[in-house]
Amino acid sequence: MTLTCKSMPSIKSAQAYIHGFSKNEQDRLIRQSTFLESYIYKNIDFSNCHHIIEIGCGVGSQIQILLHRWPHLKITGVDISQSQINRASQLLKSHIEAGRVSLHVSHGGELPFADQSFDGALVCFVLEHADHPLNVLKELKRVMKSGSSLYCTEGFNTGLYVYPTCLAFQTYLEIFNHYQKQLNGDPDVGVKLCNLALKAGFSDTQLGYVPIQLDNRIRDISQRAIVINFFTECFFSAAPELIAQEKVTPDLIEAIKQELDLLKNNQDSIFIYPFQQMKAIK
Ligand SMILES: C[S@@+](CC[C@H](N)C(=O)[O-])C[C@H]1O[C@@H](n2cnc3c(N)ncnc32)[C@H](O)[C@@H]1O
């Protein structure tokens, strides 16, 4: 049965989130944002903003980074999942008590805020999970002030390149992408960001790569392992569910671990994941 009641669209989408809401996964989101901070924030600037909004704030780890970088900001975080907001409330307790942060459970396509409430917006790894990314951007535009900036960072799984070829990993990735699409997500939404933003009515869109590239320039094995382990953890976060649904086998997961271990030790290996980042103006 499809839920069509206006007050309930979040229920279906909250359940249909490929990474899930376990404590391990919530901890992973904190590690992920720490690992990616220097890449993601290189071209983000909220220094002239006062009150910004983050859609799909998860456990609040981007908000923590935002407050560290721009301590004057007031930030409103929205997530479709109550359990993410509960965890974010713990992480950001002192900032909430100080009136700097407020958190809300809401679908990004139906925000409980007045028009023109915010003078900046962040979206990070959310549209790839959203059933209607265009609706999220339209709604975001409604609550943003004219002239304010939206920064949006998303994945582009088809752009992942690995050398030498890792067949087990390639097989897993195809199954992962297919499953994400079954859940109404889009593993390649990153390259569509400008199209979506222009359709939503934003202007001055700029799209850039946030490339993470492992190659011969990183010679230290432990540094190489950090990059590989980061992506392994990210893609494997869906593995328990994929195994439970018999879409992949534990043997395939073992084979991938061995393949990726070889990449760590092979100085000629290449691993590129091109995150996409868009800036758009309302
Ligand atoms: C990968 S996490 C990213 C969290 C955070 N932005 C970060 O970078 O750490 C994606 C989050 O988007 C939320 N989400 C997915 N679809 C959503 C929607 N339509 N509206 C609001 N939040 C959504 C999920 O519940 C999840 O917490």
Side-chain angles (χ1 to χ4, degrees), residues 51 53 110-120 138-146 148 282:
H51 187 182
I53 181 167
E110 266 179 57
L111 298 170
F113 308 114
D115 295 359
Q116 311 237 17
S117 297
F118 306 97
D119 59 2
K138 281 183 180 167
E139 182 66 346
L140 193 46
K141 181 175 167 266
R142 180 185 69 76
V143 300
M144 288 170 64
K145 292 187 197 297
S146 298
S148 60
K282 171 172 175 181

mmCIF file with all atom_site columns, all heavy atoms in Angstrom, residues 51 53 110-120 138-146 148 282:
data_model
loop_
_atom_site.group_PDB
_atom_site.id
_atom_site.type_symbol
_atom_site.label_atom_id
_atom_site.label_alt_id
_atom_site.label_comp_id
_atom_site.label_asym_id
_atom_site.label_entity_id
_atom_site.label_seq_id
_atom_site.pdbx_PDB_ins_code
_atom_site.Cartn_x
_atom_site.Cartn_y
_atom_site.Cartn_z
_atom_site.occupancy
_atom_site.B_iso_or_equiv
_atom_site.pdbx_formal_charge
_atom_site.auth_seq_id
_atom_site.auth_comp_id
_atom_site.auth_asym_id
_atom_site.auth_atom_id
_atom_site.pdbx_PDB_model_num
ATOM 1   N N   . HIS A 1 51  ? 21.677 32.788 9.536  1.00 0.00 ? 51  HIS A N   1
ATOM 2   C CA  . HIS A 1 51  ? 20.865 31.629 9.918  1.00 0.00 ? 51  HIS A CA  1
ATOM 3   C C   . HIS A 1 51  ? 20.730 30.720 8.689  1.00 0.00 ? 51  HIS A C   1
ATOM 4   O O   . HIS A 1 51  ? 20.071 31.087 7.716  1.00 0.00 ? 51  HIS A O   1
ATOM 5   C CB  . HIS A 1 51  ? 19.484 32.102 10.397 1.00 0.00 ? 51  HIS A CB  1
ATOM 6   C CG  . HIS A 1 51  ? 18.655 30.995 10.965 1.00 0.00 ? 51  HIS A CG  1
ATOM 7   N ND1 . HIS A 1 51  ? 17.371 31.181 11.416 1.00 0.00 ? 51  HIS A ND1 1
ATOM 8   C CD2 . HIS A 1 51  ? 18.921 29.672 11.166 1.00 0.00 ? 51  HIS A CD2 1
ATOM 9   C CE1 . HIS A 1 51  ? 16.883 30.025 11.866 1.00 0.00 ? 51  HIS A CE1 1
ATOM 10  N NE2 . HIS A 1 51  ? 17.806 29.098 11.715 1.00 0.00 ? 51  HIS A NE2 1
ATOM 11  N N   . ILE A 1 53  ? 20.220 26.649 6.915  1.00 0.00 ? 53  ILE A N   1
ATOM 12  C CA  . ILE A 1 53  ? 19.485 25.392 7.106  1.00 0.00 ? 53  ILE A CA  1
ATOM 13  C C   . ILE A 1 53  ? 20.263 24.246 6.480  1.00 0.00 ? 53  ILE A C   1
ATOM 14  O O   . ILE A 1 53  ? 20.875 24.417 5.419  1.00 0.00 ? 53  ILE A O   1
ATOM 15  C CB  . ILE A 1 53  ? 18.056 25.488 6.501  1.00 0.00 ? 53  ILE A CB  1
ATOM 16  C CG1 . ILE A 1 53  ? 17.281 24.178 6.716  1.00 0.00 ? 53  ILE A CG1 1
ATOM 17  C CG2 . ILE A 1 53  ? 18.075 25.845 5.014  1.00 0.00 ? 53  ILE A CG2 1
ATOM 18  C CD1 . ILE A 1 53  ? 15.789 24.300 6.428  1.00 0.00 ? 53  ILE A CD1 1
ATOM 19  N N   . GLU A 1 110 ? 8.875  19.063 2.393  1.00 0.00 ? 110 GLU A N   1
ATOM 20  C CA  . GLU A 1 110 ? 7.732  19.698 3.077  1.00 0.00 ? 110 GLU A CA  1
ATOM 21  C C   . GLU A 1 110 ? 8.235  20.341 4.350  1.00 0.00 ? 110 GLU A C   1
ATOM 22  O O   . GLU A 1 110 ? 8.096  19.796 5.434  1.00 0.00 ? 110 GLU A O   1
ATOM 23  C CB  . GLU A 1 110 ? 6.696  18.639 3.482  1.00 0.00 ? 110 GLU A CB  1
ATOM 24  C CG  . GLU A 1 110 ? 5.596  18.431 2.485  1.00 0.00 ? 110 GLU A CG  1
ATOM 25  C CD  . GLU A 1 110 ? 4.629  17.354 2.945  1.00 0.00 ? 110 GLU A CD  1
ATOM 26  O OE1 . GLU A 1 110 ? 4.064  17.488 4.046  1.00 0.00 ? 110 GLU A OE1 1
ATOM 27  O OE2 . GLU A 1 110 ? 4.492  16.376 2.201  1.00 0.00 ? 110 GLU A OE2 1
ATOM 28  N N   . LEU A 1 111 ? 8.856  21.487 4.220  1.00 0.00 ? 111 LEU A N   1
ATOM 29  C CA  . LEU A 1 111 ? 9.530  22.084 5.379  1.00 0.00 ? 111 LEU A CA  1
ATOM 30  C C   . LEU A 1 111 ? 8.573  22.952 6.201  1.00 0.00 ? 111 LEU A C   1
ATOM 31  O O   . LEU A 1 111 ? 7.808  23.740 5.635  1.00 0.00 ? 111 LEU A O   1
ATOM 32  C CB  . LEU A 1 111 ? 10.718 22.932 4.901  1.00 0.00 ? 111 LEU A CB  1
ATOM 33  C CG  . LEU A 1 111 ? 11.810 22.138 4.160  1.00 0.00 ? 111 LEU A CG  1
ATOM 34  C CD1 . LEU A 1 111 ? 12.823 23.084 3.522  1.00 0.00 ? 111 LEU A CD1 1
ATOM 35  C CD2 . LEU A 1 111 ? 12.506 21.173 5.108  1.00 0.00 ? 111 LEU A CD2 1
ATOM 36  N N   . PRO A 1 112 ? 8.641  22.819 7.523  1.00 0.00 ? 112 PRO A N   1
ATOM 37  C CA  . PRO A 1 112 ? 7.710  23.576 8.370  1.00 0.00 ? 112 PRO A CA  1
ATOM 38  C C   . PRO A 1 112 ? 8.230  24.991 8.680  1.00 0.00 ? 112 PRO A C   1
ATOM 39  O O   . PRO A 1 112 ? 8.260  25.408 9.847  1.00 0.00 ? 112 PRO A O   1
ATOM 40  C CB  . PRO A 1 112 ? 7.660  22.716 9.651  1.00 0.00 ? 112 PRO A CB  1
ATOM 41  C CG  . PRO A 1 112 ? 9.014  22.098 9.729  1.00 0.00 ? 112 PRO A CG  1
ATOM 42  C CD  . PRO A 1 112 ? 9.481  21.903 8.303  1.00 0.00 ? 112 PRO A CD  1
ATOM 43  N N   . PHE A 1 113 ? 8.662  25.701 7.666  1.00 0.00 ? 113 PHE A N   1
ATOM 44  C CA  . PHE A 1 113 ? 9.222  27.050 7.880  1.00 0.00 ? 113 PHE A CA  1
ATOM 45  C C   . PHE A 1 113 ? 8.594  28.030 6.893  1.00 0.00 ? 113 PHE A C   1
ATOM 46  O O   . PHE A 1 113 ? 8.198  27.648 5.781  1.00 0.00 ? 113 PHE A O   1
ATOM 47  C CB  . PHE A 1 113 ? 10.744 27.042 7.686  1.00 0.00 ? 113 PHE A CB  1
ATOM 48  C CG  . PHE A 1 113 ? 11.444 25.983 8.491  1.00 0.00 ? 113 PHE A CG  1
ATOM 49  C CD1 . PHE A 1 113 ? 12.093 24.927 7.868  1.00 0.00 ? 113 PHE A CD1 1
ATOM 50  C CD2 . PHE A 1 113 ? 11.424 26.015 9.883  1.00 0.00 ? 113 PHE A CD2 1
ATOM 51  C CE1 . PHE A 1 113 ? 12.708 23.926 8.597  1.00 0.00 ? 113 PHE A CE1 1
ATOM 52  C CE2 . PHE A 1 113 ? 12.037 25.020 10.630 1.00 0.00 ? 113 PHE A CE2 1
ATOM 53  C CZ  . PHE A 1 113 ? 12.685 23.964 9.981  1.00 0.00 ? 113 PHE A CZ  1
ATOM 54  N N   . ALA A 1 114 ? 8.567  29.299 7.309  1.00 0.00 ? 114 ALA A N   1
ATOM 55  C CA  . ALA A 1 114 ? 8.000  30.345 6.445  1.00 0.00 ? 114 ALA A CA  1
ATOM 56  C C   . ALA A 1 114 ? 8.920  30.615 5.259  1.00 0.00 ? 114 ALA A C   1
ATOM 57  O O   . ALA A 1 114 ? 10.124 30.301 5.307  1.00 0.00 ? 114 ALA A O   1
ATOM 58  C CB  . ALA A 1 114 ? 7.815  31.623 7.275  1.00 0.00 ? 114 ALA A CB  1
ATOM 59  N N   . ASP A 1 115 ? 8.373  31.226 4.234  1.00 0.00 ? 115 ASP A N   1
ATOM 60  C CA  . ASP A 1 115 ? 9.177  31.641 3.073  1.00 0.00 ? 115 ASP A CA  1
ATOM 61  C C   . ASP A 1 115 ? 10.332 32.524 3.546  1.00 0.00 ? 115 ASP A C   1
ATOM 62  O O   . ASP A 1 115 ? 10.183 33.280 4.511  1.00 0.00 ? 115 ASP A O   1
ATOM 63  C CB  . ASP A 1 115 ? 8.323  32.483 2.099  1.00 0.00 ? 115 ASP A CB  1
ATOM 64  C CG  . ASP A 1 115 ? 7.187  31.669 1.481  1.00 0.00 ? 115 ASP A CG  1
ATOM 65  O OD1 . ASP A 1 115 ? 7.073  30.477 1.779  1.00 0.00 ? 115 ASP A OD1 1
ATOM 66  O OD2 . ASP A 1 115 ? 6.421  32.268 0.705  1.00 0.00 ? 115 ASP A OD2 1
ATOM 67  N N   . GLN A 1 116 ? 11.450 32.444 2.874  1.00 0.00 ? 116 GLN A N   1
ATOM 68  C CA  . GLN A 1 116 ? 12.598 33.344 3.092  1.00 0.00 ? 116 GLN A CA  1
ATOM 69  C C   . GLN A 1 116 ? 13.088 33.363 4.544  1.00 0.00 ? 116 GLN A C   1
ATOM 70  O O   . GLN A 1 116 ? 13.417 34.414 5.079  1.00 0.00 ? 116 GLN A O   1
ATOM 71  C CB  . GLN A 1 116 ? 12.231 34.777 2.681  1.00 0.00 ? 116 GLN A CB  1
ATOM 72  C CG  . GLN A 1 116 ? 11.593 34.864 1.320  1.00 0.00 ? 116 GLN A CG  1
ATOM 73  C CD  . GLN A 1 116 ? 12.333 35.782 0.346  1.00 0.00 ? 116 GLN A CD  1
ATOM 74  O OE1 . GLN A 1 116 ? 13.484 36.129 0.538  1.00 0.00 ? 116 GLN A OE1 1
ATOM 75  N NE2 . GLN A 1 116 ? 11.658 36.150 -0.693 1.00 0.00 ? 116 GLN A NE2 1
ATOM 76  N N   . SER A 1 117 ? 13.149 32.191 5.191  1.00 0.00 ? 117 SER A N   1
ATOM 77  C CA  . SER A 1 117 ? 13.570 32.142 6.601  1.00 0.00 ? 117 SER A CA  1
ATOM 78  C C   . SER A 1 117 ? 15.089 32.070 6.760  1.00 0.00 ? 117 SER A C   1
ATOM 79  O O   . SER A 1 117 ? 15.610 32.384 7.829  1.00 0.00 ? 117 SER A O   1
ATOM 80  C CB  . SER A 1 117 ? 12.992 30.894 7.287  1.00 0.00 ? 117 SER A CB  1
ATOM 81  O OG  . SER A 1 117 ? 11.604 30.923 7.318  1.00 0.00 ? 117 SER A OG  1
ATOM 82  N N   . PHE A 1 118 ? 15.817 31.636 5.716  1.00 0.00 ? 118 PHE A N   1
ATOM 83  C CA  . PHE A 1 118 ? 17.243 31.327 5.884  1.00 0.00 ? 118 PHE A CA  1
ATOM 84  C C   . PHE A 1 118 ? 18.089 32.060 4.842  1.00 0.00 ? 118 PHE A C   1
ATOM 85  O O   . PHE A 1 118 ? 17.652 32.269 3.709  1.00 0.00 ? 118 PHE A O   1
ATOM 86  C CB  . PHE A 1 118 ? 17.471 29.814 5.765  1.00 0.00 ? 118 PHE A CB  1
ATOM 87  C CG  . PHE A 1 118 ? 16.615 29.015 6.708  1.00 0.00 ? 118 PHE A CG  1
ATOM 88  C CD1 . PHE A 1 118 ? 15.414 28.459 6.273  1.00 0.00 ? 118 PHE A CD1 1
ATOM 89  C CD2 . PHE A 1 118 ? 16.974 28.858 8.041  1.00 0.00 ? 118 PHE A CD2 1
ATOM 90  C CE1 . PHE A 1 118 ? 14.598 27.745 7.150  1.00 0.00 ? 118 PHE A CE1 1
ATOM 91  C CE2 . PHE A 1 118 ? 16.169 28.148 8.929  1.00 0.00 ? 118 PHE A CE2 1
ATOM 92  C CZ  . PHE A 1 118 ? 14.966 27.588 8.473  1.00 0.00 ? 118 PHE A CZ  1
ATOM 93  N N   . ASP A 1 119 ? 19.326 32.405 5.251  1.00 0.00 ? 119 ASP A N   1
ATOM 94  C CA  . ASP A 1 119 ? 20.186 33.102 4.284  1.00 0.00 ? 119 ASP A CA  1
ATOM 95  C C   . ASP A 1 119 ? 21.347 32.217 3.801  1.00 0.00 ? 119 ASP A C   1
ATOM 96  O O   . ASP A 1 119 ? 22.371 32.719 3.343  1.00 0.00 ? 119 ASP A O   1
ATOM 97  C CB  . ASP A 1 119 ? 20.664 34.455 4.821  1.00 0.00 ? 119 ASP A CB  1
ATOM 98  C CG  . ASP A 1 119 ? 21.457 34.334 6.106  1.00 0.00 ? 119 ASP A CG  1
ATOM 99  O OD1 . ASP A 1 119 ? 21.684 33.191 6.573  1.00 0.00 ? 119 ASP A OD1 1
ATOM 100 O OD2 . ASP A 1 119 ? 21.863 35.375 6.653  1.00 0.00 ? 119 ASP A OD2 1
ATOM 101 N N   . GLY A 1 120 ? 21.176 30.914 3.892  1.00 0.00 ? 120 GLY A N   1
ATOM 102 C CA  . GLY A 1 120 ? 22.149 29.975 3.346  1.00 0.00 ? 120 GLY A CA  1
ATOM 103 C C   . GLY A 1 120 ? 21.635 28.559 3.557  1.00 0.00 ? 120 GLY A C   1
ATOM 104 O O   . GLY A 1 120 ? 20.793 28.323 4.434  1.00 0.00 ? 120 GLY A O   1
ATOM 105 N N   . LYS A 1 138 ? 13.047 22.565 -4.618 1.00 0.00 ? 138 LYS A N   1
ATOM 106 C CA  . LYS A 1 138 ? 12.011 23.603 -4.759 1.00 0.00 ? 138 LYS A CA  1
ATOM 107 C C   . LYS A 1 138 ? 11.603 24.139 -3.392 1.00 0.00 ? 138 LYS A C   1
ATOM 108 O O   . LYS A 1 138 ? 11.440 25.344 -3.191 1.00 0.00 ? 138 LYS A O   1
ATOM 109 C CB  . LYS A 1 138 ? 10.768 23.025 -5.455 1.00 0.00 ? 138 LYS A CB  1
ATOM 110 C CG  . LYS A 1 138 ? 10.901 22.910 -6.959 1.00 0.00 ? 138 LYS A CG  1
ATOM 111 C CD  . LYS A 1 138 ? 9.573  22.404 -7.535 1.00 0.00 ? 138 LYS A CD  1
ATOM 112 C CE  . LYS A 1 138 ? 9.666  22.272 -9.048 1.00 0.00 ? 138 LYS A CE  1
ATOM 113 N NZ  . LYS A 1 138 ? 8.534  21.509 -9.599 1.00 0.00 ? 138 LYS A NZ  1
ATOM 114 N N   . GLU A 1 139 ? 11.440 23.205 -2.463 1.00 0.00 ? 139 GLU A N   1
ATOM 115 C CA  . GLU A 1 139 ? 11.010 23.592 -1.112 1.00 0.00 ? 139 GLU A CA  1
ATOM 116 C C   . GLU A 1 139 ? 12.110 24.375 -0.391 1.00 0.00 ? 139 GLU A C   1
ATOM 117 O O   . GLU A 1 139 ? 11.846 25.352 0.306  1.00 0.00 ? 139 GLU A O   1
ATOM 118 C CB  . GLU A 1 139 ? 10.627 22.318 -0.339 1.00 0.00 ? 139 GLU A CB  1
ATOM 119 C CG  . GLU A 1 139 ? 10.114 22.529 1.064  1.00 0.00 ? 139 GLU A CG  1
ATOM 120 C CD  . GLU A 1 139 ? 8.773  23.261 1.145  1.00 0.00 ? 139 GLU A CD  1
ATOM 121 O OE1 . GLU A 1 139 ? 8.334  23.852 0.151  1.00 0.00 ? 139 GLU A OE1 1
ATOM 122 O OE2 . GLU A 1 139 ? 8.207  23.278 2.251  1.00 0.00 ? 139 GLU A OE2 1
ATOM 123 N N   . LEU A 1 140 ? 13.332 23.949 -0.649 1.00 0.00 ? 140 LEU A N   1
ATOM 124 C CA  . LEU A 1 140 ? 14.478 24.651 -0.052 1.00 0.00 ? 140 LEU A CA  1
ATOM 125 C C   . LEU A 1 140 ? 14.532 26.083 -0.585 1.00 0.00 ? 140 LEU A C   1
ATOM 126 O O   . LEU A 1 140 ? 14.748 27.039 0.169  1.00 0.00 ? 140 LEU A O   1
ATOM 127 C CB  . LEU A 1 140 ? 15.748 23.875 -0.411 1.00 0.00 ? 140 LEU A CB  1
ATOM 128 C CG  . LEU A 1 140 ? 17.040 24.198 0.318  1.00 0.00 ? 140 LEU A CG  1
ATOM 129 C CD1 . LEU A 1 140 ? 16.825 24.297 1.816  1.00 0.00 ? 140 LEU A CD1 1
ATOM 130 C CD2 . LEU A 1 140 ? 18.067 23.129 0.012  1.00 0.00 ? 140 LEU A CD2 1
ATOM 131 N N   . LYS A 1 141 ? 14.307 26.221 -1.867 1.00 0.00 ? 141 LYS A N   1
ATOM 132 C CA  . LYS A 1 141 ? 14.338 27.564 -2.472 1.00 0.00 ? 141 LYS A CA  1
ATOM 133 C C   . LYS A 1 141 ? 13.264 28.455 -1.821 1.00 0.00 ? 141 LYS A C   1
ATOM 134 O O   . LYS A 1 141 ? 13.503 29.624 -1.544 1.00 0.00 ? 141 LYS A O   1
ATOM 135 C CB  . LYS A 1 141 ? 14.110 27.457 -3.982 1.00 0.00 ? 141 LYS A CB  1
ATOM 136 C CG  . LYS A 1 141 ? 14.159 28.810 -4.664 1.00 0.00 ? 141 LYS A CG  1
ATOM 137 C CD  . LYS A 1 141 ? 14.051 28.687 -6.164 1.00 0.00 ? 141 LYS A CD  1
ATOM 138 C CE  . LYS A 1 141 ? 13.793 30.050 -6.782 1.00 0.00 ? 141 LYS A CE  1
ATOM 139 N NZ  . LYS A 1 141 ? 12.373 30.341 -6.997 1.00 0.00 ? 141 LYS A NZ  1
ATOM 140 N N   . ARG A 1 142 ? 12.124 27.875 -1.561 1.00 0.00 ? 142 ARG A N   1
ATOM 141 C CA  . ARG A 1 142 ? 11.032 28.658 -0.947 1.00 0.00 ? 142 ARG A CA  1
ATOM 142 C C   . ARG A 1 142 ? 11.466 29.254 0.395  1.00 0.00 ? 142 ARG A C   1
ATOM 143 O O   . ARG A 1 142 ? 11.173 30.417 0.689  1.00 0.00 ? 142 ARG A O   1
ATOM 144 C CB  . ARG A 1 142 ? 9.795  27.757 -0.746 1.00 0.00 ? 142 ARG A CB  1
ATOM 145 C CG  . ARG A 1 142 ? 8.610  28.472 -0.119 1.00 0.00 ? 142 ARG A CG  1
ATOM 146 C CD  . ARG A 1 142 ? 7.452  27.530 0.186  1.00 0.00 ? 142 ARG A CD  1
ATOM 147 N NE  . ARG A 1 142 ? 7.706  26.587 1.260  1.00 0.00 ? 142 ARG A NE  1
ATOM 148 C CZ  . ARG A 1 142 ? 7.711  26.875 2.557  1.00 0.00 ? 142 ARG A CZ  1
ATOM 149 N NH1 . ARG A 1 142 ? 7.472  28.108 2.965  1.00 0.00 ? 142 ARG A NH1 1
ATOM 150 N NH2 . ARG A 1 142 ? 7.952  25.933 3.458  1.00 0.00 ? 142 ARG A NH2 1
ATOM 151 N N   . VAL A 1 143 ? 12.198 28.454 1.195  1.00 0.00 ? 143 VAL A N   1
ATOM 152 C CA  . VAL A 1 143 ? 12.522 28.938 2.550  1.00 0.00 ? 143 VAL A CA  1
ATOM 153 C C   . VAL A 1 143 ? 13.818 29.750 2.585  1.00 0.00 ? 143 VAL A C   1
ATOM 154 O O   . VAL A 1 143 ? 14.213 30.244 3.638  1.00 0.00 ? 143 VAL A O   1
ATOM 155 C CB  . VAL A 1 143 ? 12.585 27.781 3.581  1.00 0.00 ? 143 VAL A CB  1
ATOM 156 C CG1 . VAL A 1 143 ? 11.245 27.053 3.653  1.00 0.00 ? 143 VAL A CG1 1
ATOM 157 C CG2 . VAL A 1 143 ? 13.726 26.804 3.291  1.00 0.00 ? 143 VAL A CG2 1
ATOM 158 N N   . MET A 1 144 ? 14.486 29.871 1.432  1.00 0.00 ? 144 MET A N   1
ATOM 159 C CA  . MET A 1 144 ? 15.736 30.671 1.395  1.00 0.00 ? 144 MET A CA  1
ATOM 160 C C   . MET A 1 144 ? 15.444 32.112 0.981  1.00 0.00 ? 144 MET A C   1
ATOM 161 O O   . MET A 1 144 ? 14.535 32.389 0.215  1.00 0.00 ? 144 MET A O   1
ATOM 162 C CB  . MET A 1 144 ? 16.729 30.050 0.380  1.00 0.00 ? 144 MET A CB  1
ATOM 163 C CG  . MET A 1 144 ? 17.344 28.738 0.865  1.00 0.00 ? 144 MET A CG  1
ATOM 164 S SD  . MET A 1 144 ? 18.274 27.897 -0.454 1.00 0.00 ? 144 MET A SD  1
ATOM 165 C CE  . MET A 1 144 ? 19.594 29.049 -0.782 1.00 0.00 ? 144 MET A CE  1
ATOM 166 N N   . LYS A 1 145 ? 16.263 33.023 1.517  1.00 0.00 ? 145 LYS A N   1
ATOM 167 C CA  . LYS A 1 145 ? 16.125 34.435 1.134  1.00 0.00 ? 145 LYS A CA  1
ATOM 168 C C   . LYS A 1 145 ? 16.683 34.636 -0.275 1.00 0.00 ? 145 LYS A C   1
ATOM 169 O O   . LYS A 1 145 ? 17.618 33.936 -0.679 1.00 0.00 ? 145 LYS A O   1
ATOM 170 C CB  . LYS A 1 145 ? 16.920 35.325 2.102  1.00 0.00 ? 145 LYS A CB  1
ATOM 171 C CG  . LYS A 1 145 ? 16.368 35.364 3.511  1.00 0.00 ? 145 LYS A CG  1
ATOM 172 C CD  . LYS A 1 145 ? 17.124 36.407 4.317  1.00 0.00 ? 145 LYS A CD  1
ATOM 173 C CE  . LYS A 1 145 ? 16.924 36.239 5.819  1.00 0.00 ? 145 LYS A CE  1
ATOM 174 N NZ  . LYS A 1 145 ? 15.570 36.414 6.305  1.00 0.00 ? 145 LYS A NZ  1
ATOM 175 N N   . SER A 1 146 ? 16.163 35.619 -0.992 1.00 0.00 ? 146 SER A N   1
ATOM 176 C CA  . SER A 1 146 ? 16.665 35.920 -2.332 1.00 0.00 ? 146 SER A CA  1
ATOM 177 C C   . SER A 1 146 ? 18.138 36.292 -2.250 1.00 0.00 ? 146 SER A C   1
ATOM 178 O O   . SER A 1 146 ? 18.557 37.012 -1.338 1.00 0.00 ? 146 SER A O   1
ATOM 179 C CB  . SER A 1 146 ? 15.891 37.093 -2.932 1.00 0.00 ? 146 SER A CB  1
ATOM 180 O OG  . SER A 1 146 ? 14.552 36.741 -3.041 1.00 0.00 ? 146 SER A OG  1
ATOM 181 N N   . SER A 1 148 ? 20.590 34.287 -1.592 1.00 0.00 ? 148 SER A N   1
ATOM 182 C CA  . SER A 1 148 ? 21.402 33.422 -0.716 1.00 0.00 ? 148 SER A CA  1
ATOM 183 C C   . SER A 1 148 ? 21.882 32.172 -1.465 1.00 0.00 ? 148 SER A C   1
ATOM 184 O O   . SER A 1 148 ? 21.366 31.803 -2.515 1.00 0.00 ? 148 SER A O   1
ATOM 185 C CB  . SER A 1 148 ? 20.629 33.045 0.551  1.00 0.00 ? 148 SER A CB  1
ATOM 186 O OG  . SER A 1 148 ? 19.453 32.366 0.217  1.00 0.00 ? 148 SER A OG  1
ATOM 187 N N   . LYS A 1 282 ? 19.726 31.522 -5.014 1.00 0.00 ? 282 LYS A N   1
ATOM 188 C CA  . LYS A 1 282 ? 18.275 31.747 -5.152 1.00 0.00 ? 282 LYS A CA  1
ATOM 189 C C   . LYS A 1 282 ? 18.087 33.129 -5.768 1.00 0.00 ? 282 LYS A C   1
ATOM 190 O O   . LYS A 1 282 ? 18.583 34.109 -5.238 1.00 0.00 ? 282 LYS A O   1
ATOM 191 C CB  . LYS A 1 282 ? 17.564 31.700 -3.807 1.00 0.00 ? 282 LYS A CB  1
ATOM 192 C CG  . LYS A 1 282 ? 16.107 32.160 -3.962 1.00 0.00 ? 282 LYS A CG  1
ATOM 193 C CD  . LYS A 1 282 ? 15.268 31.965 -2.740 1.00 0.00 ? 282 LYS A CD  1
ATOM 194 C CE  . LYS A 1 282 ? 13.892 32.588 -3.012 1.00 0.00 ? 282 LYS A CE  1
ATOM 195 N NZ  . LYS A 1 282 ? 13.000 32.469 -1.872 1.00 0.00 ? 282 LYS A NZ  1
#
